[in-house]
Each structure stands twice: as C-alpha cells, then as structure tokens.
Short mmCIF file of all heavy atoms in Angstrom, two decimals:
data_model
loop_
_atom_site.label_atom_id
_atom_site.label_comp_id
_atom_site.label_asym_id
_atom_site.label_seq_id
_atom_site.Cartn_x
_atom_site.Cartn_y
_atom_site.Cartn_z
N MET A 1 0.91 -1.23 -0.06
CA MET A 1 0.01 -0.01 -0.01
C MET A 1 0.84 1.24 0.06
O MET A 1 1.95 1.22 0.70
CB MET A 1 -0.95 -0.05 1.24
CG MET A 1 -1.84 1.21 1.31
SD MET A 1 -2.84 1.32 2.82
CE MET A 1 -3.97 0.02 2.54
N VAL A 2 0.38 2.29 -0.71
CA VAL A 2 1.19 3.57 -0.87
C VAL A 2 0.18 4.65 -0.53
O VAL A 2 -0.96 4.80 -0.99
CB VAL A 2 1.84 3.71 -2.19
CG1 VAL A 2 2.51 5.08 -2.27
CG2 VAL A 2 2.62 2.61 -2.61
N LEU A 3 0.53 5.58 0.42
CA LEU A 3 -0.25 6.79 0.63
C LEU A 3 0.51 7.94 0.06
O LEU A 3 1.64 8.18 0.39
CB LEU A 3 -0.40 6.88 2.24
CG LEU A 3 -1.15 8.11 2.64
CD1 LEU A 3 -2.55 8.16 2.18
CD2 LEU A 3 -1.05 8.38 4.17
N VAL A 4 -0.21 8.53 -0.85
CA VAL A 4 0.42 9.72 -1.43
C VAL A 4 -0.26 10.93 -0.87
O VAL A 4 -1.44 11.16 -0.96
CB VAL A 4 0.21 9.80 -3.02
CG1 VAL A 4 0.69 11.10 -3.70
CG2 VAL A 4 0.68 8.45 -3.62
N GLY A 5 0.46 11.83 -0.27
CA GLY A 5 0.03 13.12 0.29
C GLY A 5 0.76 14.28 -0.09
O GLY A 5 1.86 14.13 -0.58
N GLY A 6 0.13 15.48 0.01
CA GLY A 6 0.94 16.65 -0.29
C GLY A 6 0.12 17.91 -0.54
O GLY A 6 -1.23 17.73 -0.61
N GLU A 7 0.72 19.04 -0.66
CA GLU A 7 -0.04 20.23 -0.95
C GLU A 7 -1.00 20.14 -2.18
O GLU A 7 -0.54 19.39 -3.14
CB GLU A 7 0.99 21.36 -1.12
CG GLU A 7 2.00 21.66 0.00
CD GLU A 7 1.21 22.13 1.22
OE1 GLU A 7 0.43 23.09 1.12
OE2 GLU A 7 1.28 21.59 2.34
N PRO A 8 -2.08 20.87 -2.17
CA PRO A 8 -2.85 21.03 -3.41
C PRO A 8 -1.98 21.42 -4.63
O PRO A 8 -1.15 22.28 -4.53
CB PRO A 8 -3.89 22.08 -3.09
CG PRO A 8 -3.94 22.28 -1.58
CD PRO A 8 -2.49 21.85 -1.12
N GLY A 9 -2.24 20.66 -5.71
CA GLY A 9 -1.54 21.00 -6.96
C GLY A 9 -0.18 20.36 -7.06
O GLY A 9 0.62 20.69 -8.13
N ILE A 10 0.32 19.69 -6.20
CA ILE A 10 1.73 19.11 -6.21
C ILE A 10 1.93 17.94 -7.23
O ILE A 10 3.04 17.67 -7.71
CB ILE A 10 2.16 18.69 -4.81
CG1 ILE A 10 3.69 18.72 -4.65
CG2 ILE A 10 1.57 17.27 -4.47
CD1 ILE A 10 4.15 18.51 -3.28
N GLY A 11 0.71 17.40 -7.59
CA GLY A 11 0.79 16.39 -8.68
C GLY A 11 0.24 14.89 -8.25
O GLY A 11 0.60 13.92 -8.91
N LYS A 12 -0.49 14.91 -7.20
CA LYS A 12 -0.95 13.50 -6.78
C LYS A 12 -1.78 12.91 -7.58
O LYS A 12 -1.69 11.78 -8.00
CB LYS A 12 -1.73 13.80 -5.31
CG LYS A 12 -0.93 14.53 -4.22
CD LYS A 12 -1.67 14.60 -2.99
CE LYS A 12 -2.88 15.65 -3.08
NZ LYS A 12 -2.49 16.97 -3.38
N SER A 13 -2.79 13.62 -8.27
CA SER A 13 -3.83 13.15 -9.20
C SER A 13 -2.99 12.59 -10.56
O SER A 13 -3.40 11.74 -11.11
CB SER A 13 -4.99 14.10 -9.51
OG SER A 13 -5.71 14.41 -8.37
N ARG A 14 -2.04 13.45 -10.86
CA ARG A 14 -1.30 13.20 -12.11
C ARG A 14 -0.59 11.73 -11.92
O ARG A 14 -0.53 10.89 -12.79
CB ARG A 14 -0.41 14.27 -12.40
CG ARG A 14 0.27 13.92 -13.85
CD ARG A 14 1.10 15.11 -14.18
NE ARG A 14 2.00 14.75 -15.22
CZ ARG A 14 1.93 15.28 -16.41
NH1 ARG A 14 0.99 16.23 -16.72
NH2 ARG A 14 2.79 14.97 -17.40
N LEU A 15 0.04 11.69 -10.60
CA LEU A 15 0.80 10.39 -10.25
C LEU A 15 -0.16 9.29 -10.44
O LEU A 15 0.09 8.18 -11.00
CB LEU A 15 1.33 10.66 -8.93
CG LEU A 15 2.37 9.70 -8.43
CD1 LEU A 15 3.75 9.93 -9.35
CD2 LEU A 15 2.71 10.09 -6.96
N ASP A 16 -1.40 9.43 -9.93
CA ASP A 16 -2.38 8.23 -9.88
C ASP A 16 -2.74 8.12 -11.28
O ASP A 16 -2.84 6.89 -11.63
CB ASP A 16 -3.61 8.91 -8.94
CG ASP A 16 -4.76 7.99 -9.13
OD1 ASP A 16 -4.61 6.78 -8.82
OD2 ASP A 16 -5.84 8.43 -9.65
N GLY A 17 -2.97 9.11 -12.07
CA GLY A 17 -3.38 8.82 -13.44
C GLY A 17 -2.26 8.16 -14.25
O GLY A 17 -2.53 7.03 -14.94
N VAL A 18 -1.09 8.36 -14.09
CA VAL A 18 0.15 7.79 -14.78
C VAL A 18 0.26 6.31 -14.32
O VAL A 18 0.41 5.33 -15.13
CB VAL A 18 1.50 8.47 -14.56
CG1 VAL A 18 2.58 7.63 -15.05
CG2 VAL A 18 1.36 9.77 -15.30
N LEU A 19 -0.02 6.08 -12.97
CA LEU A 19 0.08 4.79 -12.54
C LEU A 19 -1.06 3.85 -13.14
O LEU A 19 -0.69 2.72 -13.66
CB LEU A 19 0.04 4.71 -10.86
CG LEU A 19 -0.07 3.24 -10.24
CD1 LEU A 19 1.30 2.58 -10.29
CD2 LEU A 19 -0.50 3.55 -8.74
N ARG A 20 -2.16 4.37 -13.13
CA ARG A 20 -3.23 3.70 -13.82
C ARG A 20 -3.07 3.39 -15.31
O ARG A 20 -3.45 2.34 -15.65
CB ARG A 20 -4.75 4.23 -13.47
CG ARG A 20 -5.11 3.94 -11.97
CD ARG A 20 -6.45 4.34 -11.66
NE ARG A 20 -6.52 5.73 -11.57
CZ ARG A 20 -7.38 6.48 -12.33
NH1 ARG A 20 -8.15 5.97 -13.13
NH2 ARG A 20 -7.30 7.75 -12.14
N GLU A 21 -2.49 4.28 -15.95
CA GLU A 21 -2.10 4.06 -17.31
C GLU A 21 -1.15 2.95 -17.58
O GLU A 21 -1.33 2.11 -18.38
CB GLU A 21 -1.43 5.34 -17.91
CG GLU A 21 -2.30 6.21 -18.75
CD GLU A 21 -1.46 7.54 -19.20
OE1 GLU A 21 -0.39 7.37 -19.58
OE2 GLU A 21 -2.06 8.45 -18.99
N ARG A 22 -0.13 2.96 -16.66
CA ARG A 22 0.78 1.82 -16.66
C ARG A 22 0.33 0.45 -16.35
O ARG A 22 0.81 -0.55 -16.73
CB ARG A 22 2.02 2.24 -15.92
CG ARG A 22 2.84 3.39 -16.55
CD ARG A 22 4.16 3.63 -15.85
NE ARG A 22 4.75 4.91 -16.43
CZ ARG A 22 5.92 5.26 -16.08
NH1 ARG A 22 6.69 4.70 -15.20
NH2 ARG A 22 6.42 6.46 -16.58
N LEU A 23 -0.69 0.53 -15.50
CA LEU A 23 -1.31 -0.70 -15.08
C LEU A 23 -2.45 -1.30 -15.95
O LEU A 23 -2.87 -2.33 -15.93
CB LEU A 23 -1.93 -0.59 -13.69
CG LEU A 23 -0.97 -0.51 -12.52
CD1 LEU A 23 -1.84 -0.28 -11.28
CD2 LEU A 23 -0.25 -1.87 -12.40
N ALA A 24 -2.64 -0.42 -17.10
CA ALA A 24 -3.76 -0.78 -17.96
C ALA A 24 -3.80 -2.22 -18.54
O ALA A 24 -4.72 -2.82 -18.58
CB ALA A 24 -3.89 0.36 -19.08
N GLU A 25 -2.55 -2.58 -18.83
CA GLU A 25 -2.43 -3.94 -19.42
C GLU A 25 -2.38 -5.09 -18.40
O GLU A 25 -2.50 -6.22 -18.82
CB GLU A 25 -1.16 -4.04 -20.25
CG GLU A 25 -1.04 -2.98 -21.40
CD GLU A 25 -2.15 -3.04 -22.52
OE1 GLU A 25 -2.46 -4.16 -22.78
OE2 GLU A 25 -2.79 -2.07 -22.73
N GLU A 26 -2.23 -4.65 -17.23
CA GLU A 26 -2.09 -5.75 -16.14
C GLU A 26 -3.42 -6.04 -15.56
O GLU A 26 -4.33 -5.12 -15.48
CB GLU A 26 -1.33 -5.14 -14.92
CG GLU A 26 0.06 -4.70 -15.23
CD GLU A 26 1.06 -5.80 -15.38
OE1 GLU A 26 0.87 -6.86 -14.92
OE2 GLU A 26 2.13 -5.61 -16.13
N PRO A 27 -3.75 -7.34 -15.19
CA PRO A 27 -5.06 -7.56 -14.52
C PRO A 27 -5.06 -6.84 -13.19
O PRO A 27 -4.07 -7.04 -12.41
CB PRO A 27 -5.06 -9.19 -14.39
CG PRO A 27 -3.74 -9.58 -14.91
CD PRO A 27 -2.82 -8.43 -15.39
N HIS A 28 -5.95 -5.98 -12.94
CA HIS A 28 -6.13 -5.35 -11.67
C HIS A 28 -7.52 -4.87 -11.45
O HIS A 28 -8.36 -4.99 -12.29
CB HIS A 28 -5.09 -4.16 -11.65
CG HIS A 28 -5.50 -3.03 -12.54
ND1 HIS A 28 -5.32 -3.11 -13.94
CD2 HIS A 28 -6.02 -1.86 -12.33
CE1 HIS A 28 -5.79 -1.96 -14.44
NE2 HIS A 28 -6.11 -1.20 -13.52
N LEU A 29 -7.72 -4.50 -10.22
CA LEU A 29 -9.00 -4.01 -9.78
C LEU A 29 -8.85 -2.56 -9.12
O LEU A 29 -7.87 -2.38 -8.42
CB LEU A 29 -9.52 -4.98 -8.69
CG LEU A 29 -10.87 -4.51 -7.94
CD1 LEU A 29 -12.05 -4.48 -8.96
CD2 LEU A 29 -11.13 -5.47 -6.81
N VAL A 30 -9.61 -1.67 -9.68
CA VAL A 30 -9.59 -0.30 -9.12
C VAL A 30 -10.80 -0.05 -8.23
O VAL A 30 -11.87 -0.31 -8.67
CB VAL A 30 -9.55 0.71 -10.33
CG1 VAL A 30 -9.64 2.13 -9.72
CG2 VAL A 30 -8.39 0.59 -11.16
N LEU A 31 -10.46 0.28 -7.12
CA LEU A 31 -11.55 0.78 -6.12
C LEU A 31 -11.28 2.17 -5.84
O LEU A 31 -10.28 2.66 -5.39
CB LEU A 31 -11.53 -0.05 -4.82
CG LEU A 31 -11.60 -1.58 -4.84
CD1 LEU A 31 -11.36 -2.16 -3.49
CD2 LEU A 31 -13.04 -1.90 -5.41
N ARG A 32 -12.20 3.03 -6.38
CA ARG A 32 -12.04 4.53 -6.26
C ARG A 32 -13.25 5.12 -5.31
O ARG A 32 -14.45 4.98 -5.53
CB ARG A 32 -12.22 4.98 -7.57
CG ARG A 32 -11.66 6.46 -7.78
CD ARG A 32 -11.89 7.00 -9.15
NE ARG A 32 -11.28 8.25 -9.26
CZ ARG A 32 -10.07 8.58 -9.68
NH1 ARG A 32 -9.24 7.75 -10.12
NH2 ARG A 32 -9.63 9.84 -9.60
N TYR A 33 -12.86 5.77 -4.31
CA TYR A 33 -13.62 6.35 -3.35
C TYR A 33 -13.32 7.85 -3.26
O TYR A 33 -12.30 8.28 -3.34
CB TYR A 33 -13.61 5.82 -1.97
CG TYR A 33 -13.82 4.30 -1.86
CD1 TYR A 33 -12.80 3.31 -1.99
CD2 TYR A 33 -15.12 3.90 -1.76
CE1 TYR A 33 -13.04 2.03 -1.97
CE2 TYR A 33 -15.42 2.52 -1.78
CZ TYR A 33 -14.30 1.61 -1.85
OH TYR A 33 -14.67 0.25 -1.74
N GLN A 34 -14.49 8.70 -3.14
CA GLN A 34 -14.31 10.04 -3.13
C GLN A 34 -14.98 10.62 -1.82
O GLN A 34 -16.17 10.47 -1.75
CB GLN A 34 -14.89 10.76 -4.29
CG GLN A 34 -14.83 12.18 -4.44
CD GLN A 34 -13.47 12.66 -4.93
OE1 GLN A 34 -12.88 12.11 -5.94
NE2 GLN A 34 -12.82 13.67 -4.20
N CYS A 35 -14.22 11.37 -1.03
CA CYS A 35 -14.74 12.02 0.14
C CYS A 35 -15.42 13.34 -0.34
O CYS A 35 -15.02 13.79 -1.37
CB CYS A 35 -13.77 12.19 1.23
SG CYS A 35 -13.21 10.63 1.95
N SER A 36 -16.22 13.83 0.60
CA SER A 36 -16.94 15.22 0.26
C SER A 36 -17.13 15.93 1.51
O SER A 36 -17.60 15.33 2.59
CB SER A 36 -18.16 14.83 -0.39
OG SER A 36 -19.12 15.97 -0.41
N PRO A 37 -16.95 17.27 1.52
CA PRO A 37 -17.17 18.09 2.61
C PRO A 37 -18.71 18.09 2.95
O PRO A 37 -19.14 18.54 4.01
CB PRO A 37 -16.63 19.48 2.21
CG PRO A 37 -16.56 19.43 0.67
CD PRO A 37 -16.37 17.95 0.30
N TYR A 38 -19.55 17.72 2.09
CA TYR A 38 -21.12 17.68 2.24
C TYR A 38 -21.40 16.50 3.19
O TYR A 38 -22.48 16.37 3.56
CB TYR A 38 -21.70 17.62 0.91
CG TYR A 38 -21.57 18.79 0.10
CD1 TYR A 38 -20.83 18.72 -1.02
CD2 TYR A 38 -22.03 20.01 0.52
CE1 TYR A 38 -20.59 19.88 -1.84
CE2 TYR A 38 -21.81 21.24 -0.22
CZ TYR A 38 -21.18 21.09 -1.50
OH TYR A 38 -20.85 22.21 -2.17
N HIS A 39 -20.51 15.55 3.38
CA HIS A 39 -20.85 14.43 4.07
C HIS A 39 -20.00 14.04 5.24
O HIS A 39 -19.71 12.93 5.62
CB HIS A 39 -20.89 13.11 3.16
CG HIS A 39 -21.89 13.25 1.98
ND1 HIS A 39 -23.16 13.22 2.18
CD2 HIS A 39 -21.57 13.51 0.66
CE1 HIS A 39 -23.75 13.31 1.01
NE2 HIS A 39 -22.72 13.71 0.00
N LEU A 40 -19.58 15.19 5.89
CA LEU A 40 -18.52 15.04 7.03
C LEU A 40 -19.21 14.41 8.14
O LEU A 40 -18.48 13.70 8.86
CB LEU A 40 -18.13 16.46 7.39
CG LEU A 40 -17.18 17.32 6.61
CD1 LEU A 40 -16.93 18.59 7.27
CD2 LEU A 40 -15.89 16.60 6.44
N HIS A 41 -20.50 14.43 8.22
CA HIS A 41 -21.12 13.77 9.45
C HIS A 41 -21.67 12.40 9.15
O HIS A 41 -22.51 11.88 9.87
CB HIS A 41 -22.16 14.81 10.06
CG HIS A 41 -21.58 16.19 10.36
ND1 HIS A 41 -20.63 16.24 11.44
CD2 HIS A 41 -21.62 17.33 9.82
CE1 HIS A 41 -20.21 17.48 11.50
NE2 HIS A 41 -20.65 18.06 10.49
N SER A 42 -21.33 11.90 7.98
CA SER A 42 -21.98 10.52 7.66
C SER A 42 -20.71 9.58 7.56
O SER A 42 -19.96 9.67 6.75
CB SER A 42 -22.60 10.75 6.15
OG SER A 42 -23.12 9.48 5.83
N ALA A 43 -20.65 8.70 8.63
CA ALA A 43 -19.50 7.83 8.82
C ALA A 43 -19.30 6.92 7.64
O ALA A 43 -20.34 6.48 7.16
CB ALA A 43 -19.72 7.02 10.12
N LEU A 44 -18.14 6.84 7.15
CA LEU A 44 -17.73 5.96 6.04
C LEU A 44 -18.69 6.13 4.67
O LEU A 44 -18.90 5.19 4.05
CB LEU A 44 -17.84 4.51 6.58
CG LEU A 44 -16.93 4.10 7.71
CD1 LEU A 44 -17.36 2.67 8.09
CD2 LEU A 44 -15.47 4.20 7.30
N TYR A 45 -18.95 7.32 4.51
CA TYR A 45 -19.95 7.75 3.49
C TYR A 45 -19.54 7.06 2.18
O TYR A 45 -20.53 6.43 1.45
CB TYR A 45 -20.01 9.28 3.33
CG TYR A 45 -20.97 9.62 2.17
CD1 TYR A 45 -22.36 9.57 2.12
CD2 TYR A 45 -20.30 10.01 0.99
CE1 TYR A 45 -23.06 9.79 1.07
CE2 TYR A 45 -21.17 10.34 -0.19
CZ TYR A 45 -22.47 10.23 -0.03
OH TYR A 45 -23.21 10.58 -1.14
N PRO A 46 -18.32 7.17 1.57
CA PRO A 46 -17.96 6.61 0.28
C PRO A 46 -18.26 5.10 0.26
O PRO A 46 -18.68 4.61 -0.87
CB PRO A 46 -16.64 6.94 0.04
CG PRO A 46 -16.22 8.04 1.02
CD PRO A 46 -17.21 7.78 2.18
N PHE A 47 -17.99 4.44 1.30
CA PHE A 47 -18.14 2.97 1.28
C PHE A 47 -19.67 2.61 1.31
O PHE A 47 -20.08 1.70 0.62
CB PHE A 47 -17.43 2.26 2.52
CG PHE A 47 -16.05 2.59 2.51
CD1 PHE A 47 -15.43 3.70 3.20
CD2 PHE A 47 -15.11 1.81 1.74
CE1 PHE A 47 -13.99 3.91 3.19
CE2 PHE A 47 -13.76 2.02 1.65
CZ PHE A 47 -13.23 3.20 2.46
N VAL A 48 -20.35 3.28 2.29
CA VAL A 48 -21.72 3.04 2.38
C VAL A 48 -22.45 3.20 1.13
O VAL A 48 -23.31 2.41 0.55
CB VAL A 48 -22.50 3.94 3.49
CG1 VAL A 48 -23.93 3.79 3.50
CG2 VAL A 48 -21.86 3.57 4.86
N GLU A 49 -22.09 4.36 0.46
CA GLU A 49 -22.76 4.74 -0.90
C GLU A 49 -22.53 3.63 -1.92
O GLU A 49 -23.37 3.27 -2.74
CB GLU A 49 -22.29 6.09 -1.34
CG GLU A 49 -22.99 6.71 -2.59
CD GLU A 49 -22.21 7.71 -3.24
OE1 GLU A 49 -21.09 7.51 -3.59
OE2 GLU A 49 -22.96 8.68 -3.59
N GLN A 50 -21.31 3.27 -1.98
CA GLN A 50 -20.87 2.15 -2.97
C GLN A 50 -21.72 0.74 -2.67
O GLN A 50 -22.27 0.25 -3.56
CB GLN A 50 -19.38 1.65 -2.88
CG GLN A 50 -18.96 0.86 -4.01
CD GLN A 50 -17.69 0.25 -3.80
OE1 GLN A 50 -17.40 -0.19 -2.70
NE2 GLN A 50 -17.10 -0.19 -4.89
N PHE A 51 -21.79 0.49 -1.37
CA PHE A 51 -22.70 -0.79 -1.04
C PHE A 51 -24.23 -0.52 -1.48
O PHE A 51 -24.68 -1.52 -2.13
CB PHE A 51 -22.51 -1.11 0.44
CG PHE A 51 -21.29 -1.75 0.84
CD1 PHE A 51 -20.55 -1.24 1.88
CD2 PHE A 51 -20.75 -2.75 0.05
CE1 PHE A 51 -19.30 -1.80 2.25
CE2 PHE A 51 -19.52 -3.35 0.39
CZ PHE A 51 -18.78 -2.84 1.57
N GLU A 52 -24.71 0.52 -1.21
CA GLU A 52 -26.08 0.93 -1.57
C GLU A 52 -26.26 0.79 -3.05
O GLU A 52 -27.23 0.24 -3.53
CB GLU A 52 -26.43 2.24 -1.01
CG GLU A 52 -26.65 2.32 0.39
CD GLU A 52 -27.06 3.66 0.99
OE1 GLU A 52 -26.96 4.59 0.24
OE2 GLU A 52 -27.50 3.75 2.16
N ARG A 53 -25.28 1.36 -3.80
CA ARG A 53 -25.42 1.34 -5.26
C ARG A 53 -25.28 -0.08 -5.81
O ARG A 53 -26.07 -0.49 -6.64
CB ARG A 53 -24.36 2.21 -5.86
CG ARG A 53 -24.80 2.85 -7.23
CD ARG A 53 -23.79 3.73 -7.77
NE ARG A 53 -23.50 4.87 -6.89
CZ ARG A 53 -22.37 5.69 -7.07
NH1 ARG A 53 -21.31 5.18 -7.76
NH2 ARG A 53 -22.27 6.71 -6.30
N ALA A 54 -24.28 -0.90 -5.26
CA ALA A 54 -24.14 -2.18 -5.61
C ALA A 54 -25.36 -3.14 -5.44
O ALA A 54 -25.73 -4.05 -6.16
CB ALA A 54 -22.86 -2.80 -4.94
N ALA A 55 -26.04 -2.77 -4.28
CA ALA A 55 -27.26 -3.56 -3.81
C ALA A 55 -28.57 -3.05 -4.61
O ALA A 55 -29.57 -3.74 -4.44
CB ALA A 55 -27.42 -3.40 -2.31
N GLY A 56 -28.38 -1.95 -5.33
CA GLY A 56 -29.51 -1.56 -6.10
C GLY A 56 -30.51 -0.76 -5.30
O GLY A 56 -31.76 -0.78 -5.70
N PHE A 57 -30.05 -0.17 -4.28
CA PHE A 57 -31.09 0.66 -3.38
C PHE A 57 -31.31 1.97 -4.12
O PHE A 57 -30.48 2.49 -4.81
CB PHE A 57 -30.48 1.08 -2.01
CG PHE A 57 -30.19 -0.10 -1.20
CD1 PHE A 57 -29.44 -0.04 -0.03
CD2 PHE A 57 -30.83 -1.39 -1.38
CE1 PHE A 57 -29.25 -1.04 1.00
CE2 PHE A 57 -30.65 -2.37 -0.51
CZ PHE A 57 -29.82 -2.22 0.59
N ALA A 58 -32.62 2.44 -4.06
CA ALA A 58 -32.97 3.64 -4.73
C ALA A 58 -32.94 4.69 -3.52
O ALA A 58 -33.08 4.39 -2.38
CB ALA A 58 -34.34 3.49 -5.30
N ARG A 59 -32.76 5.93 -4.06
CA ARG A 59 -32.62 7.05 -3.09
C ARG A 59 -33.77 7.16 -2.20
O ARG A 59 -33.69 7.50 -0.95
CB ARG A 59 -32.34 8.43 -3.91
CG ARG A 59 -31.95 9.53 -3.02
CD ARG A 59 -31.57 10.66 -3.98
NE ARG A 59 -30.28 10.35 -4.59
CZ ARG A 59 -29.15 10.76 -4.15
NH1 ARG A 59 -29.07 11.35 -2.85
NH2 ARG A 59 -28.00 10.48 -4.66
N GLU A 60 -35.05 6.85 -2.71
CA GLU A 60 -36.23 7.11 -1.93
C GLU A 60 -36.59 5.77 -1.03
O GLU A 60 -37.45 5.78 -0.29
CB GLU A 60 -37.39 7.36 -2.87
CG GLU A 60 -37.79 6.21 -3.89
CD GLU A 60 -36.97 6.26 -5.17
OE1 GLU A 60 -36.05 7.05 -5.20
OE2 GLU A 60 -37.33 5.43 -6.16
N ASP A 61 -35.66 4.80 -1.19
CA ASP A 61 -35.98 3.60 -0.26
C ASP A 61 -35.72 3.94 1.12
O ASP A 61 -34.76 4.62 1.55
CB ASP A 61 -35.00 2.38 -0.71
CG ASP A 61 -35.29 1.64 -1.88
OD1 ASP A 61 -36.46 1.93 -2.36
OD2 ASP A 61 -34.48 0.86 -2.38
N GLY A 62 -36.51 3.56 1.94
CA GLY A 62 -36.32 3.74 3.47
C GLY A 62 -35.52 2.65 3.96
O GLY A 62 -35.12 1.64 3.25
N ALA A 63 -35.19 2.68 5.25
CA ALA A 63 -34.34 1.68 5.85
C ALA A 63 -34.88 0.27 5.79
O ALA A 63 -34.19 -0.80 5.44
CB ALA A 63 -34.00 1.98 7.40
N VAL A 64 -36.22 0.09 6.01
CA VAL A 64 -36.92 -1.12 5.88
C VAL A 64 -36.84 -1.68 4.63
O VAL A 64 -36.43 -2.89 4.45
CB VAL A 64 -38.34 -1.03 6.42
CG1 VAL A 64 -39.14 -2.43 6.34
CG2 VAL A 64 -38.32 -0.61 7.92
N THR A 65 -37.17 -1.04 3.52
CA THR A 65 -37.04 -1.45 2.09
C THR A 65 -35.67 -1.87 1.83
O THR A 65 -35.34 -2.99 1.29
CB THR A 65 -37.40 -0.39 1.17
OG1 THR A 65 -38.42 0.48 1.71
CG2 THR A 65 -37.70 -0.86 -0.18
N SER A 66 -34.62 -1.12 2.29
CA SER A 66 -33.24 -1.49 2.00
C SER A 66 -32.92 -2.84 2.62
O SER A 66 -32.22 -3.61 1.90
CB SER A 66 -32.34 -0.44 2.59
OG SER A 66 -32.63 0.85 2.04
N TRP A 67 -33.23 -3.07 3.80
CA TRP A 67 -32.91 -4.28 4.47
C TRP A 67 -33.68 -5.52 3.88
O TRP A 67 -33.15 -6.60 4.07
CB TRP A 67 -33.23 -4.25 5.99
CG TRP A 67 -32.06 -3.43 6.74
CD1 TRP A 67 -32.22 -2.34 7.33
CD2 TRP A 67 -30.81 -3.81 6.95
NE1 TRP A 67 -31.13 -1.83 7.87
CE2 TRP A 67 -30.06 -2.84 7.72
CE3 TRP A 67 -30.12 -4.93 6.62
CZ2 TRP A 67 -28.86 -2.85 8.00
CZ3 TRP A 67 -28.76 -5.05 7.05
CH2 TRP A 67 -28.26 -4.00 7.73
N THR A 68 -34.83 -5.25 3.32
CA THR A 68 -35.63 -6.50 2.84
C THR A 68 -35.36 -6.75 1.43
O THR A 68 -35.93 -7.66 0.87
CB THR A 68 -37.11 -6.37 3.13
OG1 THR A 68 -37.41 -4.99 2.54
CG2 THR A 68 -37.39 -6.31 4.56
N ARG A 69 -34.65 -5.98 0.63
CA ARG A 69 -34.42 -6.18 -0.74
C ARG A 69 -33.44 -7.38 -1.08
O ARG A 69 -32.57 -7.51 -0.28
CB ARG A 69 -33.72 -4.90 -1.37
CG ARG A 69 -34.78 -4.04 -1.93
CD ARG A 69 -34.36 -3.18 -3.03
NE ARG A 69 -35.44 -2.38 -3.31
CZ ARG A 69 -35.57 -1.53 -4.40
NH1 ARG A 69 -34.61 -1.38 -5.09
NH2 ARG A 69 -36.63 -0.84 -4.49
N1 ATP B 1 5.08 15.78 -13.29
C1 ATP B 1 4.46 16.77 -13.94
N2 ATP B 1 4.73 17.31 -15.02
C2 ATP B 1 4.02 18.32 -15.62
N3 ATP B 1 2.97 18.76 -14.97
C3 ATP B 1 2.50 18.16 -13.83
C4 ATP B 1 3.14 17.12 -13.21
N4 ATP B 1 2.55 16.74 -12.06
C5 ATP B 1 1.48 17.50 -12.13
N5 ATP B 1 1.35 18.41 -13.14
C6 ATP B 1 0.38 19.38 -13.45
O1 ATP B 1 0.05 20.12 -12.31
C7 ATP B 1 -1.24 20.43 -12.05
C8 ATP B 1 -1.71 19.98 -10.70
O2 ATP B 1 -1.47 18.50 -10.62
P1 ATP B 1 -2.58 17.65 -9.88
O3 ATP B 1 -3.97 17.89 -10.36
O4 ATP B 1 -2.13 16.14 -10.12
O5 ATP B 1 -2.27 17.94 -8.46
P2 ATP B 1 -3.00 17.41 -6.98
O6 ATP B 1 -1.83 17.15 -6.06
O7 ATP B 1 -3.77 16.18 -7.37
O8 ATP B 1 -3.92 18.57 -6.54
P3 ATP B 1 -5.21 18.55 -5.55
O9 ATP B 1 -4.73 18.31 -4.21
O10 ATP B 1 -5.73 19.96 -5.78
O11 ATP B 1 -6.11 17.40 -6.11
C9 ATP B 1 -2.03 19.68 -13.15
O12 ATP B 1 -2.38 20.60 -14.28
C10 ATP B 1 -0.91 18.67 -13.78
O13 ATP B 1 -1.15 18.28 -15.02
MG1 MG B 2 -6.00 15.85 -7.14
#
C-alpha cells in the first residue's frame, strides 16, 4: 500500500493517472472512493454509498425497504 499526500496542486492526481495508465495492461481491480465536505457527518460515506449502489437501493428507499431487498 502507498499513501500519497501533499499540498494541493503538487501532482498527486497526475501520479495516480500515470500509475493507472501503466497498469492498464495488467489484470487489476480499481476501487475508487471520493470523500466530500458535504458528508462530513456521515460515517464511512463513500463505502456506504458504494454498497447501496451495488445492492440496487434507490434514493427514496427507506431503511426497511433497503434491508428487505
Ligand atoms: N510531473 C508533472 N509534470 C508536468 N505537469 C504536472 C506534473 N505533475 C502535475 N502536473 C500538473 O500540475 C497540475 C496539478 O496536478 P494535480 O492535479 O495532479 O495535483 P493534485 O496534487 O492532485 O492537486 P489537488 O490536491 O488539488 O487534487 C495539473 O495541471 C498537472 O497536469
Ligand atoms: Mg488531485
């Protein structure tokens, strides 16, 4: 595992892009999560959202519908 950190604009996204380009021919799995200042109070928001999407939950589904699908 590699953690890339640094000031805004230092080139983190570009590094990530080049790495993915170079891996294009290799069998691999990309898991991409995006945090957001709009969801600061929602624990593990990117992961929960991915699971909900994968399970086919609709935005208007309540908790009961979600659990019984
Ligand atoms: N090695 C490089 N050579 C030329 N240009 C570069 C290089 N690395 C980054 N850049 C350019 O610098 C700019 C900022 O890079 P990038 O978007 O990757 O930064 P970042 O660290 O992801 O920023 P942020 O924290 O805001 O997301 C982009 O226009 C990118 O193309
Ligand atoms: Mg970036």
Side-chain angles (χ1 to χ4, degrees):
M1 179 184 286
V2 179
L3 175 65
V4 180
E7 298 293 311
I10 204 170
K12 303 181 295 294
S13 295
R14 185 174 168 116
L15 199 59
D16 169 58
V18 171
L19 176 66
R20 280 187 291 120
E21 254 175 50
R22 292 195 183 177
L23 283 175
E25 303 299 317
E26 306 281 336
H28 68 289
L29 171 69
V30 177
L31 298 175
R32 196 179 179 100
Y33 298 97
Q34 181 78 47
C35 294
S36 160
Y38 296 110
H39 301 288
L40 285 181
H41 302 292
S42 181
L44 300 174
Y45 175 78
F47 300 96
V48 172
E49 191 197 46
Q50 190 200 30
F51 286 130
E52 286 179 346
R53 212 178 293 154
F57 293 167
R59 193 169 286 273
E60 62 276 10
D61 284 350
V64 174
T65 320
S66 302
W67 281 109
T68 54
R69 268 204 184 185

